[in-house]
Amino acid sequence: MTQTQAPGASPVDGPGPPIDGALPNGHRLGDYVIERAVGRGAYGIAYRARDSEGHPVAVKVFAPEVAAGDGAAAGRARTAFRQEADMLGGLDHPGIVKLRAVEAAGPPPYLVLDWLEGANLESTLAQAPDSVSIEALLPPLLEAVGHVHAAGYLHRDLKPGNIQIVGDGRPVLIDFGAVSPIAAADRPPRSVQATPGYGAPEQYLADGREGPWTDVYGLAAVAYRVLAGAAPEPAARRIEGAVLAPAVEAACGMAPPAVLAAIDRALELDPGARPQTIVEFARSLATAWGGGDAISPKPVDRPVATGRRPAPDDFPPTEEVTRIKPPTRRRPFRLDTVPADAPGTRTPGSTRPAGGGGLRWAIAAVVALALVGAGVSAGVRWGWPYYLRNIKSEWVVDATGAGDVRTIAEALEWAKEGALIEVRAGDYPQSLTMPRPVTLTGVDRDGDGRPAAIVAPAKG
């Protein structure tokens, strides 16, 4: 497998090693004065800066060699810059860093984003691993990534280094340099940005089709890192035969076995064997958590000593990966160590959870977050299942996986009373059993006098 490694990333929450090509401290860039370089990504260097009123901001600037280049790599970087700006410009969510300004012409081009005080998740795990609660971390991350998907994009580089833990304990996605429209997933590029241990197998294969299931893999890898103390075996090596120690073994005692089994299913090499949407993954976790025992406070020793300053190897860099053809004799795409009848296991082809448990997941989240503090957002405080059943007021059904769920039945099952369910154009071959009475109506969302979508106000 041919890979070209991009320059490594530094911690975003404090001074790190010198960054090649970084602008000097005090350099003025438009209305912004650079204070220091804080990290380097696939195509740019991130800085802490001050705006004209003295407020701290984050500025992401094209790296010098990228800004001056005119080859294929520079073209890909400019596409990534445009996609990141387009996506962030259309989103406003507490779990996603907010875009403040774009200077596309340059020189050099740059993005201005909110500066978030705190430490990224990788640094937090290296310095104080016991301070990270998986129950507090996953619900808001699931909601934020689901919001990205509903906007029509894939993140494609979910990893602890791209998650900032702000002062109230809330996780925020901070780097979207690898983002891509879901609509472009059928035309995979020859190369892709991915991070060892967190990149999904389909990102490494020439015939790999990316979709929401790709970000499901990335989130599961983040959960694995939190619980097991190390990132999963890189997908590139798993494709060639390396064996991943499943979470049910590597993180035994860190979470209920059914939760660990749900994470293992989300780390399947075969994309079709994973949950296909973020909502489906969230539901599998909720169901699994409902049947498990409480988490032991300190059941295993972490491999990283508390209080140690992070080393460069703790921050795996995003790599530019040239996709390969699948090996001719590839090992089967299953995690054989996960029993087929493990709690929470889905019947193949089923979109329904194996059982209840959403309430107990919500209660677990409430208890965990009570220890974090009262400043955590509502989406975290109540847990993901509570949010789905009681707060989420609009659902998008898209057969391609670009919405909240892939089937109308799933939306009807989970939507609260009075929710609007938009059904996008697509092929829905499944039969439909109405679990409760609904009223189908047309909603004119475009103001052109014609219904833009069929929606169903769900009745209890």
Side-chain angles (χ1 to χ4, degrees):
M1 180 171 297
T2 302
Q3 299 181 350
T4 303
Q5 181 169 317
S10 298
V12 300
D13 51 305
I19 297 174
D20 291 341
L23 297 171
N25 298 348
H27 180 87
R28 179 170 290 277
L29 195 64
D31 294 331
Y32 307 95
V33 177
I34 299 297
E35 288 192 338
R36 68 175 188 270
V38 295
R40 180 161 187 161
Y43 67 80
I45 299 175
Y47 302 85
R48 178 187 166 101
R50 296 276 178 181
D51 63 15
S52 57
E53 298 180 353
H55 299 137
V57 295
V59 179
K60 188 173 182 178
V61 186
F62 259 38
E65 69 276 11
V66 175
D70 56 3
R76 289 193 296 270
R78 292 186 176 91
T79 297
F81 177 92
R82 183 176 63 254
Q83 290 177 343
E84 183 172 10
D86 289 347
M87 192 220 69
L88 287 176
L91 295 183
D92 185 6
H93 188 277
I96 298 171
V97 67
K98 189 172 182 60
L99 179 69
R100 298 181 58 168
V102 179
E103 177 52 69
Y110 59 88
L111 305 176
V112 182
L113 307 111
D114 279 350
W115 176 262
L116 301 174
E117 295 291 349
N120 70 32
L121 178 58
E122 192 66 72
S123 177
T124 302
L125 290 170
Q127 296 181 0
D130 292 330
S131 69
V132 179
S133 162
I134 195 68
E135 307 101 303
L137 185 72
L138 275 181
L141 285 178
L142 288 160
E143 183 182 342
V145 176
H147 198 72
V148 172
H149 291 178
Y153 290 90
L154 300 174
H155 188 285
R156 303 167 77 227
D157 194 20
L158 294 166
K159 62 180 179 180
N162 285 343
I163 299 168
Q164 189 84 345
I165 307 298
V166 298
D168 60 4
R170 173 171 45 94
V172 179
L173 299 176
I174 59 173
D175 194 323
F176 292 82
V179 72
S180 178
I182 293 177
D186 288 331
R187 304 182 301 276
R190 185 171 177 270
S191 64
V192 68
Q193 301 293 331
T195 300
Y198 302 96
E202 58 269 25
Q203 294 180 276
Y204 292 83
L205 299 174
D207 61 352
R209 182 174 178 271
E210 297 176 72
W213 49 88
T214 304
D215 285 343
V216 166
Y217 187 101
L219 272 183
V222 170
Y224 186 105
R225 166 68 180 90
V226 171
L227 294 170
E233 183 77 18
R237 293 205 288 265
R238 294 182 64 200
I239 291 170
E240 295 172 346
V243 177
L244 169 67
V248 292
E249 296 176 3
C252 181
M254 297 298 290
V259 172
L260 300 177
I263 292 170
D264 282 332
R265 286 190 294 277
L267 289 172
E268 288 279 9
L269 281 173
D270 180 3
R274 297 178 216 141
Q276 297 295 285
T277 67
I278 288 294
V279 168
E280 188 179 338
F281 183 34
R283 286 166 49 189
S284 72
L285 287 168
T287 300
W289 211 285
D293 300 320
I295 296 180
S296 177
K298 293 183 179 180
V300 296
D301 292 330
R302 297 283 186 169
V304 180
T306 301
R308 182 181 64 81
R309 179 173 176 79
D313 288 346
D314 290 331
F315 301 89
T318 298
E319 299 178 341
E320 184 169 346
V321 177
T322 299
R323 297 174 185 257
I324 64 166
K325 292 183 178 180
T328 55
R329 295 187 63 186
R330 189 163 50 199
R331 59 191 291 271
F333 272 159
R334 300 297 295 179
L335 282 174
D336 296 331
T337 53
V338 180
D341 58 351
T345 302
R346 286 191 303 122
T347 302
S350 170
T351 58
R352 296 175 60 86
L359 179 59
R360 274 181 279 182
W361 165 271
I363 293 173
V366 171
V367 173
L369 287 160
L371 303 177
V372 177
V376 187
S377 66
V380 184
R381 183 168 59 248
W382 291 321
W384 182 256
Y386 185 97
Y387 169 79
L388 294 180
R389 287 200 181 279
N390 299 279
I391 299 175
K392 187 172 176 62
S393 59
E394 295 191 7
W395 290 74
V396 175
V397 182
D398 192 310
T400 67
D404 296 309
V405 291
R406 295 167 65 92
T407 68
I408 302 169
E410 288 178 285
L412 291 175
E413 178 187 357
W414 281 78
K416 71 172 185 176
E417 180 177 351
L420 298 181
I421 304 173
E422 177 183 346
V423 182
R424 291 178 176 168
D427 185 12
Y428 298 92
Q430 73 279 354
S431 60
L432 178 63
T433 300
M434 295 290 189
R436 53 183 168 169
V438 297
T439 302
L440 297 180
T441 61
V443 172
D444 179 14
R445 292 191 170 183
D446 300 329
D448 58 3
R450 297 179 301 172
I454 298 298
V455 297
K459 303 298 183 182

